[in-house]
Amino acid sequence: MLGEFQSRHGEEFGARMINAADARRICPGLVEDGLRAALWSPHELSVDPRQAIRAIPMYLREGLGVTTVFGALANRVEEGRVELSDGRVIECEVAVVCSGEDFQTLFPREFEDSGLTRCKLQMMRTPAQPGGWRLGPHVAAGLTLLHYKAFEASSTLAALRERMERERPEYLRWGIHVLASQNEAGEVAIGDTHEYGMAVEPFCREDLDQLVLRYLGTFLHLPEPRVAERWMGVYAKSTMGATEYVRSPKPGVWIVNGVGGMGMTLSFGLAQEVWDGVDRGSWEPGA
Ligand SMILES: Cc1cc2nc3c(=O)[nH]c(=O)nc-3n(C[C@H](O)[C@H](O)[C@H](O)COP(=O)(O)OP(=O)(O)OC[C@H]3O[C@@H](n4cnc5c(N)ncnc54)[C@H](O)[C@@H]3O)c2cc1C
């Protein structure tokens, strides 16, 4: 599958196939047993969400003169005005509502027809790896090929799915695919599970975390494998295969939501597209 992806899209993405020895040179934690080759991309980048969430308001203020209001909810959004829970009213030409998984509070009727649902994910993080050990690139394995649409056109996808259904049905049942990435502090984030549905349980299931860790152990050895932190997150996702939900329910009001599991990556492009659409007064995907 990787070879096929490489020959179709390798040039476009600057990715290339490397043999097992090179893969272990770039990523020393890879388990040797069973490793035949890897698809390597020099372009993958990650931001640390804990840093980014703090830095973005500052960047927006200093770079673009944006004011961020903390500690107040938007209670009502009408043409030309947004009413806040602390009594303030913000007057505006355009309001863009990006309320994430809370999609029922402000525009409940629109969301009834939106086809959006919730997705709960469980994640883990190790302590800093000892002695400055570095993972190298972000690492994923076979289950990830079933998760992302980029691999959908592969002629061997069905065979891989059939094999995983036979060998690891519980992984498919709980939407598990396993990614590992390391931050500057040396900690390795490991995830994740995907449970879909409107009612989200607040509890993290240890059996699902164990499935993630067991699969990780088949392809990656970490010098410090203990888990220091566990958490869950929720995002809004389309049940109809759409990569975003963009509607204008009233003049001057836009809802942008449903960016799913790639929202941190794709939102910057989507924001530009939507804003261009707001200027035109209409929006079409990719227009
Ligand atoms: C565990 C996990 C891992 C992920 N990993 C990745 C990844 O590796 N790469 C990637 O690209 N994406 C990833 N995502 C997806 C990404 O985080 C989401 O797609 C993205 O955060 C969605 O952005 P959003 O602005 O639509 O919603 P959110 O990020 O949920 O933001 C919505 C905000 O609106 C606020 N809000 C809601 N209602 C109101 C109101 N009435 N008034 C005021 N504020 C309100 C909420 O408090 C929230 O802060 C991950 C998500 C999770 C949960």
Side-chain angles (χ1 to χ4, degrees), residues 71-241:
L73 280 178
N75 275 344
R76 196 177 165 85
V77 181
E78 295 292 342
E79 182 176 5
R81 56 187 273 131
V82 177
E83 296 174 14
L84 301 186
S85 54
D86 61 7
R88 277 181 291 172
V89 173
I90 297 176
E91 293 187 353
C92 56
E93 281 174 38
V94 176
V96 182
V97 178
C98 307
S99 57
E101 56 108 7
D102 182 353
F103 38 67
Q104 285 150 317
T105 305
L106 287 170
F107 291 98
R109 243 169 273 126
E110 281 70 13
F111 283 113
E112 258 173 40
D113 304 326
S114 67
L116 292 178
T117 190
R118 296 194 170 96
C119 178
K120 168 187 169 186
L121 297 86
Q122 290 183 200
M123 300 277 303
M124 291 170 271
R125 184 183 280 115
T126 71
Q129 296 297 313
W133 185 90
R134 296 303 298 172
L135 172 64
H138 318 312
V139 188
L143 282 170
T144 296
L145 305 179
L146 296 179
H147 187 78
Y148 288 116
K149 284 195 168 172
F151 300 101
E152 217 170 49
S154 167
S155 61
T156 46
L157 183 72
L160 178 65
R161 185 173 298 283
E162 190 271 323
R163 178 176 161 191
M164 290 298 186
E165 268 163 8
R166 196 167 10 94
E167 294 178 2
R168 300 181 183 275
E170 67 282 28
Y171 285 81
L172 302 192
R173 163 77 182 83
W174 298 107
I176 295 172
H177 77 111
V178 179
L179 301 169
S181 67
Q182 191 177 31
N183 63 15
E184 285 302 301
E187 302 155 341
V188 177
I190 303 162
D192 39 29
T193 61
H194 296 80
E195 290 176 71
Y196 299 95
M198 292 298 285
V200 173
E201 294 258 351
F203 312 108
C204 283
R205 285 183 46 177
E206 182 61 21
D207 58 332
L208 299 189
D209 282 351
Q210 288 305 321
L211 286 176
V212 170
L213 293 174
R214 207 177 310 147
Y215 189 70
L216 181 76
T218 64
F219 65 90
L220 187 67
H221 169 79
L222 295 174
E224 173 51 277
R226 281 178 308 154
V227 175
E229 291 174 316
R230 296 168 198 265
W231 70 99
M232 60 157 264
V234 182
Y235 58 66
K237 185 177 171 64
S238 168
T239 53
M240 301 187 292

